[in-house]
Amino acid sequence: MTGGMRSGVDLYWLPLGAGGHSVRLNGRVFEAVAARLARRTPCDLYHSALVVRVPDGRFVIEQAPVRDKNGRERGVVAEGAVGSRWAGRFRIFRYEVRRWRDGVIPDIGEAVESPRRLTDDPSLAQHFLDLVPTVPSLVWGRDESRTGEMWNSNSLTSWLIARSGLHVESVHPPAGGRAPGWRAGLVVAHRQETPPGSTGREPLDSNQSAAGQ
């Protein structure tokens, strides 16, 4: 694989609510309240997604609401409840974790300081893909694991980066931004056993990012 199709893992930072005005507005209200309680300046909020390229193809890794019963077409490998485990009995209150071959990130055109190339090691890229089905199916929007933050799509991303063996501490949201749920994924990952053969490699510098999707 050469050029834009070389093996590797790219991280995308997507503004919360990109493409949807109601979600963006609700996010701003949430952040305004959170900032006031913490006595700090409000930040821009981001959620994250990963694009992984291996010799077998290109995959999108993302957590999103369950769209319909055709999850196999989107590479769904896990599901979890939204709000409460009881509510998860209904499709509208479930999320899905996708490992989607040739998948689409609808709001990728609004990504900020992206893509961030995390690695171009083919074996590590494949390891990312292998880890996806093992992510904990914790309740979205709740702090079941007592990490101090709710579990969400950012938790999935940070969990995968930490479990892969990369130094996740060097990965940050765009300047002036915040990624709610990021710490939750780190705490859960660090409580688990360190992956065998972990090298503790640093992600590549942002200047080495792949040129788009």
Side-chain angles (χ1 to χ4, degrees), residues 180-191:
W182 189 264
R183 172 177 164 76
L186 298 183
V187 172
V188 172
H190 291 161
R191 286 174 181 169

Side-chain angles (χ1 to χ4, degrees), residues 32-88:
V33 173
R36 186 176 182 85
L37 292 174
R39 297 183 179 180
R40 59 172 174 77
T41 302
C43 301
D44 294 326
L45 299 184
Y46 292 90
H47 70 99
S48 53
L50 296 162
V51 173
V52 179
R53 294 178 176 87
V54 293
D56 286 342
R58 170 188 167 281
F59 296 81
V60 166
I61 299 175
E62 189 177 30
Q63 184 187 100
V66 172
R67 183 187 301 174
D68 51 40
K69 296 180 179 180
N70 302 317
R72 181 175 298 181
E73 298 177 3
R74 297 185 297 278
V76 173
V77 295
E79 290 188 4
V82 174
S84 74
R85 293 200 176 274
W86 179 88

